[in-house]
Amino acid sequence: MLYHQKPRLGPEQLRSYRWFGPDDLRSFGHRSRNKQSGFSNDEFQGKPVIGILNTWNDLNTCHGHFRDRAEDIKRGVWQAGGFPVELPVMSLSETFMKPTAMYYRNFLSMETEETLRCYPVDAAVLMGGCDKTTPALIMGAISADIPCLFMPGGPMIRASWRGEPQASGTDVWRHWAERGAGRLSCADWREFEDQIAPSTGHCMTMGTASTMTSVAEVLGFTLPGAASIPAVHAAHSRMAAQCGKQAVELAWHDYKPSDLISRESFENAITADMAIGGSTNAIVHLIAMAGRAGIELSLEDFDAISQKTPVLANIKPSGQYVMADFYDAGGLRGLLTRVRQLLHLHCPTVSGTTLGENIADAKIFDEDVIRPFDRPLSAKGGTAVLRGNLAPNGCVIKPSAADPKFLKHKGPAIVFENYQDMKQRLSDPELEVTGDHVLVLKGAGPLAAGMPESGMLPIPKKLLEAGVRDMVRLSDARMSGTSYGTCVLHISPESSAGGPLAFVEDGDIIELDVDQRRIHLDVSEEELSRRREKWVQPAGNFSRGYGKLYSEETTQADEGCDFRFLHHDGSHWKEPDID
Ligand code: FES
């Protein structure tokens, strides 16, 4: 249903009327406190109150422009006859947070849900961009089910170093390998450090940030074309103001996330994820987002859609270009025209038009950046789901970012019990390793460590010096959406939960066959049972506060790592009967 197909509310039907309308003592308090801020009754009473959930902070440098954009949004809200209120919420800075921003995704989702619910908010603009902010805000909005639209933060501009284009993450890992191989000096590295993040905005690769903002657009949560606009482009300010205006419309029609999303809109999101060669992190986030709406997505849904969707966005890490090139080439709207036949075009969006209408007049200006359907970057989508005795509940790989020669591989394992073990031994010149070995990292799943992005295990120094740049790596971790290589990720159940990964030992033979969707540990069932009996579960890291809640409630990667009690179970939040 489109928003204008719902009846328009009267002022007394707005949610905020309960705060500002009645002639009682509580409402007196609310009105008088708005006046404390310098507003008169006619500026807020009877008008939609638009919450602006701002994930700005000084350490989330991807969101450095968000204070300006919040003002742009307010401008739009005022112009449309609403009353804007800025409500700061936790910012999830991918680069600065430890153990990992993923650990706090559910925290921000809960804060979003409760902030929307407890305040007089008729509709909200959610400001996100840096990786986990997008799923967290949308998960919270789905749970609160209050009218919302999403303002994507936009990618950084192009970076350049010594005349060559550079991209967040992807080129950092590439140059770090060169440094490990002794081909870049400390001074070179410092010079590169000056150039790699040239403006505010999120990573300019098709990493998790660009993937998730694109997914948000395809789900219908953004204005058409919003996800591709670079952060510092003037069009970004205009888009932000338009978000403010549109939020007022959504408030008048009480157009909720439950009116917007469906199983079909999630299938559209997966199709887009595959066509852009999106981050493997999108799998975990989309399953969690759908779970908030009571829509079940399985790993097999991703694999099935991946099989029929080619990768068309020639963007790093799978391709050559960056997000600014994608924008210039026609952006996400252009790309979606290329997979139009795979989309449910009737799905609604917050703009009041369908997805099909939003892409109807989209054009492509560079066919090397956005490839034709019959000249893809890769014929099948960017993600494959594997199963086998090593991952009974599944694991994932991004074949488009791997060296094709490793997609069918058999080799002996070198096992690291945890991140510290890996860090110490990988640089050991005595480590007996060849390019055919399979590097295995345990202790990096959701329970053990909050599921950090450790899944692109570094190539051992001596192999780097010998020119090796990829090898098969396996873990229960995630990897950055900007990463690349033959990395099998999200192994479920994780090792700390007693999954078979916990029982792998040095020298065990591991078989990977991506075409067959198979991951196999070549150890007999009897031997695995023997190892299982001896296994002692590692002590948890999180024993108090939020960590305790996290370790007691998080699900595994194949279930989205959401908290069990936040999954939609058909029940509705019931507020105590208090004015
Ligand atoms: Fe914020 Fe990459 S660090 S998006």
Side-chain angles (χ1 to χ4, degrees):
M1 184 195 299
L2 299 172
Y3 79 83
H4 44 74
Q5 292 169 332
K6 290 188 82 177
R8 187 180 169 92
L9 305 180
E12 296 187 4
Q13 293 169 298
L14 289 171
R15 186 170 178 267
S16 59
Y17 178 84
R18 177 180 164 198
W19 277 262
F20 299 123
D23 181 17
D24 60 20
L25 186 59
R26 292 287 284 163
S27 301
F28 162 85
H30 303 141
R31 289 189 297 268
S32 65
R33 292 301 173 151
N34 258 359
K35 290 175 178 176
Q36 183 181 18
S37 297
F39 296 111
S40 307
N41 283 71
D42 63 344
E43 289 180 281
F44 63 85
Q45 222 172 349
K47 297 187 169 186
V49 177
I50 306 302
I52 300 168
L53 270 61
N54 191 347
T55 51
W56 173 89
N57 81 22
D58 267 333
L59 288 179
N60 193 340
T61 48
C62 299
H63 295 184
H65 53 314
F66 274 23
R67 285 198 288 189
D68 291 339
R69 292 298 173 272
E71 295 306 315
D72 293 328
I73 295 168
K74 287 178 188 173
R75 171 163 56 94
V77 173
W78 284 120
Q79 286 172 3
F83 179 65
V85 289
E86 191 171 341
L87 303 167
V89 289
M90 187 185 200
S91 194
L92 307 183
S93 171
E94 191 61 31
T95 37
F96 283 93
M97 295 183 92
K98 296 189 188 304
T100 159
M102 178 65 186
Y103 174 69
Y104 291 105
R105 183 200 65 182
N106 297 347
F107 191 106
L108 174 58
S109 81
M110 292 169 71
E111 189 187 9
T112 300
E113 177 180 352
E114 302 307 329
T115 299
L116 291 172
R117 184 175 284 138
C118 70
Y119 282 120
V121 170
D122 295 306
V125 180
L126 313 171
M127 302 175 68
C130 190
D131 291 20
K132 314 301 177 288
T133 53
T134 303
L137 289 163
I138 292 179
M139 286 160 71
I142 292 172
S143 292
D145 207 24
I146 285 171
C148 282
L149 62 78
F150 181 74
M151 187 216 75
M156 284 179 234
I157 58 171
R158 295 174 182 87
S160 168
W161 181 48
R162 297 182 175 174
E164 297 286 332
Q166 306 291 327
S168 324
T170 308
D171 287 313
V172 176
W173 322 132
R174 190 167 62 84
H175 291 313
W176 184 242
E178 294 305 313
R179 189 164 177 214
R183 298 203 182 105
L184 277 183
S185 70
C186 183
D188 293 333
W189 185 250
R190 283 293 163 93
E191 191 186 293
F192 173 58
E193 193 174 288
D194 288 341
Q195 302 302 322
I196 188 61
S199 76
T200 186
H202 60 66
C203 291
M204 77 290 256
T205 33
M206 192 55 84
T208 305
S210 301
T211 301
M212 291 312 298
T213 55
S214 299
V215 155
E217 177 165 336
V218 178
L219 277 172
F221 275 102
T222 80
L223 298 176
S228 309
I229 306 172
V232 297
H233 199 295
H236 201 273
S237 285
R238 299 195 294 271
M239 179 271 291
Q242 196 58 37
C243 286
K245 287 184 189 170
Q246 193 62 18
V248 175
E249 281 298 301
L250 298 184
W252 281 125
H253 293 272
D254 194 28
Y255 190 71
K256 299 170 178 172
S258 57
D259 297 313
L260 181 71
I261 52 174
S262 61
R263 165 90 198 175
E264 290 175 324
S265 60
F266 275 97
E267 288 176 0
N268 284 343
I270 299 172
T271 299
D273 175 31
M274 298 304 159
I276 60 179
S279 162
T280 45
N281 287 325
I283 300 176
V284 179
H285 298 319
L286 275 165
I287 290 174
M289 289 155 74
R292 293 297 183 97
I295 297 168
E296 296 296 333
L297 291 184
S298 70
L299 291 180
E300 273 61 35
D301 290 321
F302 288 83
D303 200 88
I305 293 176
S306 169
Q307 291 286 321
K308 58 185 180 188
T309 312
V311 180
L312 300 178
N314 188 5
I315 312 292
K316 292 183 181 187
S318 299
Q320 288 173 261
Y321 298 97
V322 294
M323 288 302 289
D325 302 308
F326 188 57
Y327 177 66
D328 291 345
L332 184 64
R333 289 174 65 238
L335 177 131
L336 293 176
T337 63
R338 292 272 153 99
V339 288
R340 176 194 299 272
Q341 67 279 21
L342 302 177
L343 297 169
H344 306 287
L345 295 171
H346 66 276
C347 286
T349 72
V350 290
S351 55
T353 44
T354 63
L355 182 65
E357 288 168 330
N358 287 354
I359 64 173
D361 62 349
K363 294 191 175 51
I364 292 167
F365 305 104
D366 188 329
E367 302 238 330
D368 194 38
V369 178
I370 301 174
R371 295 284 185 86
F373 199 86
D374 57 0
R375 195 167 57 83
L377 206 64
S378 145
K380 290 181 183 170
T383 305
V385 174
L386 316 174
R387 288 187 192 263
N389 67 346
L390 195 45
N393 295 344
C395 58
V396 303
I397 186 171
K398 187 171 181 177
S400 60
D403 185 330
K405 75 178 182 195
F406 287 120
L407 296 179
K408 186 174 166 75
H409 182 79
K410 187 172 178 177
I414 293 182
V415 180
F416 305 104
E417 290 302 319
N418 53 46
Y419 180 80
Q420 285 307 333
D421 182 30
M422 175 188 80
K423 207 171 155 190
Q424 280 161 18
R425 289 170 53 215
L426 266 184
S427 53
D428 182 353
E430 302 299 312
L431 183 71
E432 291 197 12
V433 59
T434 70
D436 288 332
H437 274 94
V438 176
L439 302 180
V440 176
L441 173 65
K442 303 179 184 177
L447 271 179
M451 210 177 174
E453 294 185 335
S454 311
M456 188 176 81
L457 281 74
I459 306 288
K461 188 170 169 25
K462 66 198 245 184
L463 294 183
L464 284 176
E465 287 166 350
V468 173
R469 291 295 180 271
D470 194 9
M471 58 194 297
V472 177
R473 291 157 270 180
L474 252 69
S475 73
D476 45 16
R478 297 174 301 114
M479 77 174 181
S480 164
T482 62
S483 298
Y484 54 88
T486 314
C487 303
V488 177
L489 309 158
H490 308 187
I491 289 182
S492 177
E494 66 175 290
S495 58
S496 289
L501 181 66
F503 316 126
V504 184
E505 295 182 359
D506 279 343
D508 287 350
I509 299 298
I510 292 175
E511 294 175 47
L512 168 68
D513 189 336
V514 175
D515 268 354
Q516 296 298 314
R517 300 294 191 262
R518 183 165 181 263
I519 183 84
H520 181 72
L521 178 64
D522 200 3
V523 173
S524 70
E525 262 313 308
E526 297 73 44
E527 173 62 13
L528 282 178
S529 300
R530 195 183 60 76
R531 293 180 190 178
R532 188 175 288 116
E533 275 166 29
K534 282 196 325 194
W535 181 72
V536 179
Q537 184 169 26
N541 280 317
F542 311 123
S543 60
R544 64 169 301 282
Y546 173 72
K548 187 166 190 305
L549 179 73
Y550 180 93
S551 52
E552 288 172 0
E553 293 293 340
T554 188
T555 56
Q556 291 288 292
D558 60 302
E559 300 168 296
C561 301
D562 200 4
F563 293 162
R564 290 179 188 87
F565 63 87
L566 294 173
H567 194 275
H568 182 73
D569 62 358
S571 62
H572 292 284
W573 190 79
K574 188 172 177 315
E575 187 179 336
D577 193 12
I578 298 169
D579 279 343

